[in-house]
Amino acid sequence: MKWFGFHIRICDKEEGDFLKKLLKEYLIPLDVNLLVIEVNTCFRFEKHPEVSEGTFDKTSAREISSLCKENDVEIVPLFNCLGHQGWKGKPNGLLRAYPEFDETPEIPYDSEDIYCRSWCPSHPRIYDVVFSLIDEIQEAFESRYFHVGMDEVFIIARCPRCRGKDPAHLFSDTAKKLHDHLLEKGVKMMMWGDRLIKRERTPYSEWEADDIGIYPAVDMIPKDVVVVDWHYEPMDRYPSIPYFLEKGFKVLPACWKNLEAAKRFFEYSKKQAKKLDREENVLGILVTDWHLPAKKLYEAFKEKRKEDLMEVLEYISKSWKGS
């Protein structure tokens, strides 16, 4: 098992400072050797400052990157692509600066009727801007991998440019463009795997798997993409693991704060990899953090307060080396 990973979202310099302390004092001693740091539009962009909506900057990125490299921690910045362009009706910095990129501009900004917005994958200028944003983040972290998000896409093929097009082709074309751009820079791509899973006949929810016609994209994207397969509830089986392995992908299973789910998913992934003789293609496990900012998680460790996420991290720390 190559990686014991940790994922966290960072929106400002102060949180970045607490992340450094968290890494040095707790995560690295727990043997975490992969950090997925989600910055999105919270990064202070120099080339497109109109997109920025946070204070996390290049200096902060370099400091965290240097700390990781000194301790053999692979660092992977994450910038949400296609979906997750804001929350409910409220757009993020990209769509606020470039409303013409919005897939559903007719939805009011104060709407509570959608999950979150998507950008238009067919807009002729979207990739000029997005590639610039990705490059600036990747170069700040000097990373060998880049995570492009692309999870929980529920809005696609809606605008006049995209209407009538195949959702799977729109999705895969976006993934391929991102992949090819990163590959030109010598950077490997990661992405969430939920939209590549056909929900029918799986135990997964609509968040974890697709039922709007995106899933055939699994056969259209490059096989050197690392698929991060996330599931957060205890289940008897996680069929996406053998599915992605048989498709030829390298897979990084991802859990959250449910300890029983983490145990089951970790063990199931190892067993399936061994059964299919694809053990080198299950890269480890990623513990995701969606509820504790770096400051609160650091304080919880320091004060020895038991948090569910800490229990998962401690369990994986004890288990993964013996896998």
Side-chain angles (χ1 to χ4, degrees), residues 56-311:
F56 189 82
D57 60 10
K58 179 178 178 179
T59 300
S60 300
R62 282 285 164 85
E63 289 173 354
I64 292 171
S65 178
S66 295
L67 175 61
C68 286
K69 290 173 182 177
E70 289 166 8
N71 291 276
D72 296 320
V73 176
E74 190 80 59
I75 190 161
V76 183
L78 190 159
F79 180 82
N80 271 323
C81 294
L82 193 57
H84 279 290
Q85 302 303 307
W87 177 246
K88 295 191 182 294
K90 183 180 178 182
N92 66 358
L94 176 63
L95 295 189
R96 193 167 57 248
Y98 298 94
E100 64 270 28
F101 293 166
D102 195 339
E103 183 71 359
T104 49
E106 74 281 359
I107 296 178
Y109 285 179
D110 61 356
S111 174
E112 296 287 318
D113 296 331
I114 67 169
Y115 177 53
C116 52
R117 294 177 182 268
S118 297
W119 79 42
C120 169
S122 301
H123 196 285
R125 290 189 56 240
I126 181 69
Y127 295 103
D128 289 340
V129 176
V130 168
F131 288 165
S132 175
L133 301 177
I134 286 175
D135 288 351
E136 197 166 334
I137 294 171
Q138 185 274 326
E139 289 164 10
F141 283 101
E142 300 178 316
S143 65
R144 302 189 302 171
Y145 290 82
F146 197 95
H147 195 313
V148 300
M150 298 188 71
D151 61 320
E152 296 178 345
V153 174
F154 296 109
I155 292 178
I156 195 168
R158 291 268 296 271
C159 78
R161 284 179 296 269
C162 296
R163 193 175 300 131
K165 295 181 180 180
D166 179 15
H169 280 96
L170 287 170
F171 188 92
S172 64
D173 284 350
T174 300
K176 284 188 285 188
K177 285 183 173 73
L178 295 167
H179 167 272
D180 292 349
H181 177 75
L182 289 167
L183 189 63
E184 286 180 3
K185 296 167 62 67
V187 178
K188 297 178 182 179
M189 183 171 121
M190 291 185 179
M191 65 183 291
W192 301 116
D194 53 278
R195 296 305 93 184
L196 304 177
I197 304 165
K198 184 178 181 180
R199 185 183 174 196
E200 185 181 1
R201 294 192 295 276
T202 75
Y204 300 145
S205 70
E206 64 181 314
W207 312 103
E208 299 164 87
D210 169 66
D211 55 13
I212 63 170
I214 296 175
Y215 67 86
V218 72
D219 293 317
M220 306 175 195
I221 65 174
K223 293 297 186 288
D224 61 343
V225 170
V226 175
V227 176
V228 186
D229 186 26
W230 64 270
H231 303 289
Y232 301 153
E233 301 298 327
M235 301 178 192
D236 293 330
R237 62 190 183 96
Y238 298 87
S240 49
I241 292 295
Y243 171 75
F244 285 129
L245 291 175
E246 289 170 345
K247 291 287 186 181
F249 290 102
K250 285 184 167 59
V251 185
L252 182 61
C255 59
W256 185 15
K257 59 181 180 175
N258 186 307
L259 181 58
E260 183 59 27
K263 290 179 178 179
R264 292 190 189 189
F265 196 19
F266 189 48
E267 294 303 320
Y268 185 91
S269 299
K270 290 190 294 181
K271 288 177 182 177
Q272 288 297 313
K274 187 173 183 179
K275 178 180 177 181
L276 295 171
D277 195 23
R278 304 282 176 85
E279 290 174 282
E280 74 284 358
N281 281 10
V282 174
L283 300 179
I285 194 161
L286 177 71
V287 180
T288 60
D289 177 11
W290 301 107
H291 66 307
L292 288 175
K295 181 179 180 180
K296 288 189 176 180
L297 184 57
Y298 173 77
E299 289 171 347
F301 269 110
K302 188 174 183 179
E303 296 165 11
K304 298 182 178 179
R305 298 198 316 265
K306 275 296 177 186
E307 292 277 356
D308 42 19
L309 189 67
M310 293 164 59
E311 292 181 349

Side-chain angles (χ1 to χ4, degrees), residues 45-57:
F45 297 101
E46 296 176 2
K47 293 181 180 178
H48 287 282
E50 70 278 7
V51 172
S52 300
E53 45 189 347
T55 59
F56 189 82
D57 60 10

Side-chain angles (χ1 to χ4, degrees), residues 23-38:
L23 281 163
K24 284 189 286 189
E25 296 179 34
Y26 299 107
L27 296 181
I28 291 170
L30 283 172
D31 293 317
V32 166
N33 64 357
L34 170 75
L35 176 68
V36 178
I37 179 167
E38 182 171 341

